[in-house]
Amino acid sequence: MAFPQAFLDELLARSDIVDVVGSYVQLQRKGANLFGLCPFHSEKTGSFSVSPDKQIYYCFGCKRGGGVINFIMEEENLSFPDAVRFLAKRAGLEVPEEEGDREAGRRRQRLLDLNRDAARFYYQLLQQPEGAAVRAYLERRQIKKSTAVKFGMGASPDSWDTLLTEMTRRGYSKRELLDAGLVVQNKNGRLYDKFRNRLMLPVVDTRGDVVAFGSRVLDKSEPKYMNSSETPVYSKRRVLYGLNLAKKTKRPNIILCEGNLDIVTLHQAGFDNAVASMGTALTVEQTRLLSRFTKELVLCYDNDNAGKIATERALQILNNSDFSVKVLQLPKRLVDGEYVKQDADDFIKFQGPDAFERLLSGSENGIEFRMAQVAAKHDLTNDEGRVAYCEEISRLLSTLENAVEREIYTGRAAEAAKITPEAMKLEVQRAFRLRTRQEKRAELRRELNPAASLQPRERTLRYDNVRSARAEEGVLRLLVKDATVFPDAPPLTEEQFSSPLLGRAFTQLWNQRRVGRDPSIPLLAEFFSQEEISHLIDVTERPESLSNAAQALADYIRIIQSEWRKRSGGDDVDPLLAATEKYKDKKGNGGKQHG
């Protein structure tokens, strides 16, 4: 929405980026800026910077950047208007809403209200005769009534339209029920309840809003588990079931499991630090969410093949992150002479909380788990298997950046392969050197391919004309760093820019200048995506010498206009004129960009 500029100015004045970001990220001052671990990607060395003077953040690792509104949009998964409202509430400001935006905010709140009322309705049904089958199921699963109340569990009846009828009676429209994912529509246009004859598990976010539902069928029908589809208020990549409760734990870590009922059983057994992803593998967005509440994670996925794959994927996401990561492997259970897999729910029921506590205390760290996985693939009783094991384990150990860790686990690998530590160390060193050479060659290839290295990271933002785009970037840098070198009238039109993104940015920045404001990329958050803002921050934060800014601007404009004439003139461009322009550019810049 178009918030009044005076309101945005007041909001930004009251929302110092250091204070806001500092409530999410631990920052330390280094010179003029503050640094911390990036909340948007996993890292061990802080490359995330915050500039109090410019009121921007920028990560030198993942290249994400923006202003305080962008940060809240990213961190809280909010749209621009909702991020403004979030900051306004934090600053104690009343938001001047336009009618259309009041309506959008009202629609979002209606969906949250609908989810809350649906959760209460399901909860009430669980206590009534219609909930008898679900109550019986909870008894079979040994889930106490107090636990069911704690998680707000409910019952959806074995009927087609009980929820639909009740919610429409309460004033919710059929469109709202569809948007919330609580009802579905068949080919004939008929609406019916999505969840029927199921145990209902409301999904509550860390702010206390019911954003979705998980469910479990009571009989043998499929699907056994059914979750809400994504809606305007729910993104499964950004939510963890049970985190609204686990964030209050006094335990030093958070346990990641696969199933919602695993979480229920663990909490009931005293492990109130357990959470689960909503039918997906662990995502980067979820790790960012977890980083607010803990620095130690314990992966406790099922001990079948799918669980091992999920564990490996999670370890890859968490590799080189600030998290201390452990893996709790649940042993298989002997049933009728056969060993079968068990999840956390099974283990607690058959072995008890004390046994789980012992497993939790002795859980492996991530590298130990991965080493065990490698060892399981090879027969270490014969020479061929040991050689193959040594090759694979050396590649794994070569990825450890810490030399002490490499030394320790190299010794353990030598023991497993029954070879001398010295021989294993040589293999790991060879693998480490090979990996380092490969990375250097890859870096060299990127450096020798200037066209690729000059392109934006996001493929959708790639430049069609790199020569013009680099000059266009220079114009934006000068406009942000020293707008006084520009004439009163815009020296370029948007259509002369080869990059639509840079052209749009020039227009918006010039509009800021036209009304007497200092051109600022963070103020463009309303008009550009996060990826676009990050790239524009990256562009304008690069070095640009201001000692000869007027000449640099003239050179940039000449290149842009020259390239634009080539694009618009097609084959009519004079080859001699083009060569002359190229010679002037090379002579004026010494073959290099300004700065």
Side-chain angles (χ1 to χ4, degrees):
M1 68 165 286
F3 291 104
Q5 193 59 57
F7 164 75
L8 288 177
D9 289 343
E10 177 69 13
L11 177 67
L12 294 176
R14 294 199 194 184
S15 303
D16 182 79
I17 196 165
V18 174
D19 293 338
V20 174
V21 174
S23 65
Y24 295 87
V25 180
Q26 188 172 353
L27 298 171
Q28 292 184 330
R29 182 172 289 278
K30 293 181 183 178
N33 294 345
L34 295 97
F35 284 81
L37 294 169
C38 180
F40 306 128
H41 82 287
S42 298
E43 62 174 3
K44 287 186 177 179
T45 303
S47 57
F48 180 83
S49 70
V50 177
S51 169
D53 295 338
K54 301 174 184 175
Q55 287 292 297
I56 63 171
Y57 67 90
Y58 182 72
C59 177
F60 293 94
C62 67
K63 307 299 183 185
R64 299 189 84 77
V68 67
I69 297 176
N70 282 106
F71 183 84
I72 292 300
M73 289 170 68
E74 281 266 274
E75 191 66 19
E76 295 289 346
N77 186 31
L78 297 174
S79 65
F80 177 82
D82 286 338
V84 168
R85 295 183 186 103
F86 181 98
L87 288 170
K89 184 177 180 180
R90 181 182 183 277
L93 285 174
E94 184 176 346
V95 181
E97 301 274 17
E98 294 182 356
E99 185 57 38
D101 299 293
R102 274 198 295 269
E103 178 61 23
R106 189 192 70 84
R107 283 198 300 270
R108 178 181 171 83
Q109 189 58 50
R110 284 282 290 178
L111 292 184
L112 292 174
D113 292 344
L114 172 54
N115 283 339
R116 179 202 61 209
D117 288 347
R120 289 175 177 172
F121 179 64
Y122 289 137
Y123 175 82
Q124 291 165 356
L125 282 179
L126 179 60
Q127 324 307 322
Q128 298 171 4
E130 296 92 332
V134 175
R135 291 199 302 273
Y137 175 78
L138 292 176
E139 287 181 18
R140 292 196 301 274
R141 295 293 297 250
Q142 301 173 31
I143 296 173
K144 299 175 183 178
K145 183 176 181 180
S146 59
T147 303
V149 171
K150 177 182 177 181
F151 281 88
M153 293 184 187
S156 58
D158 190 10
S159 69
W160 287 98
D161 60 0
T162 300
L163 182 75
L164 172 64
T165 301
E166 177 61 24
M167 292 299 109
T168 51
R169 186 188 69 78
R170 297 190 188 190
Y172 293 104
S173 69
K174 293 177 179 178
R175 181 70 262 167
E176 288 172 330
L177 282 156
L178 279 167
D179 290 344
L182 291 169
V183 302
V184 291
Q185 190 171 34
N186 64 17
K187 294 179 181 178
N188 299 322
R190 180 193 169 196
L191 298 180
Y192 56 91
D193 291 353
K194 176 173 182 172
F195 301 104
R196 304 181 306 281
N197 195 32
R198 288 177 172 271
L199 165 66
M200 299 301 296
L201 302 161
V203 179
V204 182
D205 67 11
T206 54
R207 286 179 293 220
D209 290 322
V210 179
V211 294
F213 292 89
S215 71
R216 209 281 187 190
V217 76
L218 304 180
D219 51 29
K220 300 292 184 181
S221 60
E222 295 292 336
K224 181 187 294 186
Y225 296 98
M226 181 188 292
N227 298 328
S228 292
S229 53
E230 300 220 343
T231 72
V233 298
Y234 170 60
S235 169
K236 62 185 179 183
R237 296 180 59 84
R238 299 174 183 269
V239 175
L240 287 158
Y241 180 73
L243 186 57
N244 61 307
L245 301 172
K247 70 177 185 177
K248 305 169 189 173
T249 186
K250 297 295 189 292
R251 287 178 174 267
N253 49 35
I254 285 181
I255 305 170
L256 276 167
C257 298
E258 287 187 44
N260 294 3
L261 289 177
D262 291 335
I263 304 310
V264 172
T265 299
L266 284 170
H267 277 250
Q268 181 172 276
F271 302 94
D272 63 349
N273 55 333
V275 301
S277 53
M278 295 295 298
T280 63
L282 182 68
T283 66
V284 173
E285 292 86 350
Q286 289 165 346
T287 64
R288 282 161 41 188
L289 185 59
L290 286 165
S291 68
R292 298 187 206 167
F293 307 107
T294 188
K295 290 302 178 186
E296 182 179 326
L297 298 177
V298 179
L299 306 180
C300 182
Y301 295 135
D302 295 353
N303 59 2
D304 56 5
N305 190 51
K308 290 175 181 176
I309 292 173
T311 301
E312 180 63 32
R313 287 177 178 169
L315 288 172
Q316 289 173 2
I317 288 177
L318 296 165
N319 189 36
N320 292 327
S321 73
D322 191 41
F323 286 106
S324 169
V325 185
K326 293 186 176 181
V327 179
L328 191 160
Q329 292 194 80
L330 296 167
K332 291 189 176 181
R333 184 164 54 95
L334 187 63
V335 179
D336 298 330
E338 291 186 13
Y339 284 97
V340 298
K341 73 154 190 164
Q342 59 180 338
D343 52 25
D345 178 62
D346 295 327
F347 189 90
I348 293 288
K349 285 184 173 65
F350 292 106
Q351 275 77 41
D354 290 342
F356 189 86
E357 188 75 70
R358 287 193 295 274
L359 273 184
L360 184 60
S361 299
S363 53
E364 306 170 303
N365 63 33
I367 188 64
E368 289 171 333
F369 170 82
R370 299 178 81 177
M371 288 177 70
Q373 295 297 104
V374 173
K377 292 162 58 177
H378 302 284
D379 182 359
L380 300 181
T381 63
N382 64 57
D383 293 344
E384 185 179 344
R386 289 158 65 201
V387 169
Y389 166 78
C390 288
E391 289 180 359
E392 185 169 354
I393 204 71
S394 296
R395 290 195 297 271
L396 172 62
L397 296 177
S398 75
T399 64
L400 296 176
E401 298 298 333
N402 186 292
V404 175
E405 278 189 308
R406 279 203 310 276
E407 183 83 17
I408 291 171
Y409 293 113
T410 294
R412 294 187 186 179
E415 290 178 17
K418 295 182 175 60
I419 65 172
T420 65
E422 290 77 18
M424 192 75 244
K425 185 176 181 179
L426 287 173
E427 281 295 299
V428 173
Q429 287 175 342
R430 186 177 65 83
F432 186 80
R433 287 195 298 269
L434 177 62
R435 186 175 65 84
T436 303
R437 284 199 302 270
Q438 289 173 338
E439 290 175 353
K440 285 183 178 178
R441 282 199 296 267
E443 181 66 25
L444 183 60
R445 282 196 298 270
R446 285 192 293 271
E447 290 175 356
L448 293 176
N449 185 0
S453 64
L454 300 179
Q455 288 283 12
R457 280 194 169 194
E458 286 291 323
R459 190 169 295 277
T460 56
L461 305 181
R462 294 288 168 88
Y463 299 145
D464 291 332
N465 185 326
V466 174
R467 182 170 184 262
S468 181
R470 293 292 282 176
E472 294 159 23
E473 290 179 350
V475 169
L476 294 189
R477 266 194 303 278
L478 287 173
L479 189 53
V480 168
K481 292 176 183 289
D482 184 9
T484 61
V485 301
F486 286 78
D488 293 335
L492 294 163
T493 63
E494 186 173 325
E495 68 170 356
Q496 290 176 319
F497 282 71
S498 65
S499 164
L501 167 61
L502 301 180
R504 285 167 46 221
F506 176 78
T507 297
Q508 293 292 342
L509 291 171
W510 192 270
N511 287 340
Q512 293 176 10
R513 181 177 187 264
R514 182 173 49 80
V515 296
R517 304 176 61 81
D518 291 330
S520 167
I521 298 296
L523 295 180
L524 303 182
E526 182 177 1
F527 310 105
F528 295 85
S529 70
Q530 178 57 53
E531 289 72 25
E532 291 172 333
I533 288 289
S534 292
H535 179 60
L536 293 173
I537 289 287
D538 180 38
V539 164
T540 54
E541 283 302 291
R542 292 175 197 162
E544 180 75 41
S545 173
L546 300 181
S547 60
N548 196 18
Q551 183 58 51
L553 177 61
D555 290 341
Y556 288 144
I557 291 172
R558 178 174 50 77
I559 293 170
I560 294 168
Q561 291 177 337
S562 170
E563 294 298 313
W564 174 66
R565 284 195 297 271
K566 293 176 188 176
R567 292 196 308 276
S568 58
D571 295 334
D572 295 334
V573 175
D574 185 343
L576 182 59
L577 177 61
T580 304
E581 288 286 347
K582 188 173 182 180
Y583 172 75
K584 286 180 182 177
D585 176 48
K586 195 170 184 179
K587 184 178 179 182
N589 293 318
K592 296 180 180 179
Q593 198 76 22
H594 284 276

